[in-house]
Amino acid sequence: MTVISIDPDPRPVPVAGSPGGSIFRAALGAEFERLHPELRRRFGFSSADGIACLGTGRMEQVERGARLAAPFLRVAARRNILFPEHGRDVPFTIANYAYRDGYGRETVTFVRTFQFVRPRRFDATMVASPRAGTVVDYLGTHQHLAVDLRLGVSKRGGLVVSSAAQRVSGWVGAPVLPELLAGRAELHEWFDEAEGRFRIRVRVVNPVLGLVAGYRGWFRAEYPRVGAEGVPGHVRPVRESFRR
């Protein structure tokens, strides 16, 4: 049995996202229709649809940047936020489930597993944002960091994501992290019609350290039904936070 704790908040919590609506469709608006049909399928479902998107593939390259970033990555790995390993041709899976969290927010899991000798996970849960063109990304098992993600669509119908403001979630009045402490992420995911699979490229950089981490590769997706048992406990965070 998985127990999920919720940070107490004495104020009424608004429910983000319309019932049954995809958070990505809501964020992109009319731009959502410019996505490749396979990306519209992948990012167009919600908790009302009773399906998941499970991807299996390989990361052709997993990068680790400056040595100075290694201590941070080792600590972050304890909470499934990045990791210090690197390599080539690494088996990879991603699990996307949509559900309503303890605050009533429409939520999508992004649980990425990299099969090194010691498997590593990079976990996130994304929720709708009141800011047009963005979603809020909570990182790790305990949602310690809340990151605004700006969404866009590339010329080939891919999804382009860039990180903006970052906060330590759960702190009342938590300030935006200074630029020198933040890791700026850039993601591009698109569908390769010739190979019949999704391709993805991610880089995380810091203004002082330069490259912190990155990966690029491919995966194929399937869309199983979510049964009466609901969303598996192992893909949900241990603690849920409400960004203040």
Side-chain angles (χ1 to χ4, degrees), residues 207-227:
V208 175
L209 300 176
L211 177 68
V212 175
Y215 55 91
R216 60 176 174 82
W218 60 269
F219 61 92
R220 292 187 171 90
E222 58 181 356
Y223 300 86
R225 301 294 303 178
V226 177

Side-chain angles (χ1 to χ4, degrees), residues 13 28 33 40 55-56 83 102 143 154 178 201-202 228:
V13 178
L28 285 168
E33 299 305 321
R40 292 203 301 270
T56 304
F83 43 81
Q143 296 191 340
S154 70
R201 182 175 66 243
V202 175

Side-chain angles (χ1 to χ4, degrees), residues 60 124 142 179 232:
E60 294 157 345
H142 290 64
E179 185 72 20

Side-chain angles (χ1 to χ4, degrees), residues 25 32-44 156-158 191 193 198 223:
R25 184 184 293 275
F32 186 84
E33 299 305 321
R34 291 185 52 232
L35 289 172
H36 187 281
E38 290 294 334
L39 272 87
R40 292 203 301 270
R41 182 184 185 191
R42 174 159 154 66
F43 293 105
R156 57 180 154 188
F191 190 74
E193 290 191 341
F198 294 92
Y223 300 86

Side-chain angles (χ1 to χ4, degrees), residues 11-200:
R11 300 170 301 165
V13 178
V15 175
S18 58
S22 158
I23 63 172
F24 302 100
R25 184 184 293 275
L28 285 168
E31 284 289 284
F32 186 84
E33 299 305 321
R34 291 185 52 232
L35 289 172
H36 187 281
E38 290 294 334
L39 272 87
R40 292 203 301 270
R41 182 184 185 191
R42 174 159 154 66
F43 293 105
F45 67 92
S46 72
S47 60
D49 295 308
I51 62 172
C53 179
L54 304 181
T56 304
R58 304 186 86 83
M59 290 299 107
E60 294 157 345
Q61 182 174 19
V62 180
E63 299 178 273
R64 185 188 71 195
R67 288 187 178 182
L68 290 175
F72 161 77
L73 293 173
R74 283 194 289 270
V75 172
R78 298 174 185 173
R79 299 291 188 174
N80 292 354
I81 309 174
L82 298 179
F83 43 81
E85 284 83 357
H86 57 97
R88 293 182 179 274
D89 199 30
V90 179
F92 170 84
T93 61
I94 183 168
N96 300 116
Y97 289 86
Y99 64 98
R100 287 269 168 172
D101 72 2
Y103 292 106
R105 301 173 298 191
E106 185 71 30
T107 304
V108 180
T109 68
F110 280 77
V111 174
R112 292 149 285 207
T113 302
F114 299 77
Q115 293 292 339
F116 295 102
V117 174
R118 176 182 181 180
R120 291 294 195 181
R121 276 176 48 165
F122 180 17
D123 293 2
T125 40
M126 298 187 189
V127 304
S129 168
R131 290 165 293 281
T134 66
V135 298
V136 179
D137 188 16
Y138 288 94
L139 297 180
T141 56
H142 290 64
Q143 296 191 340
H144 284 309
L145 291 176
V147 183
D148 288 341
L149 297 182
R150 299 192 184 103
L151 307 184
V153 181
S154 70
K155 291 182 179 179
R156 57 180 154 188
L159 181 67
V160 180
V161 180
S162 60
S163 64
Q166 303 177 25
R167 290 177 173 82
V168 178
S169 63
W171 287 14
V172 177
V176 175
L177 287 178
E179 185 72 20
L180 293 180
L181 298 179
R184 298 297 179 186
E186 300 286 341
L187 176 150
H188 184 196
E189 182 176 321
W190 68 100
F191 190 74
D192 183 340
E193 290 191 341
E195 298 290 339
R197 60 194 188 185
F198 294 92
R199 295 199 64 87
I200 188 167

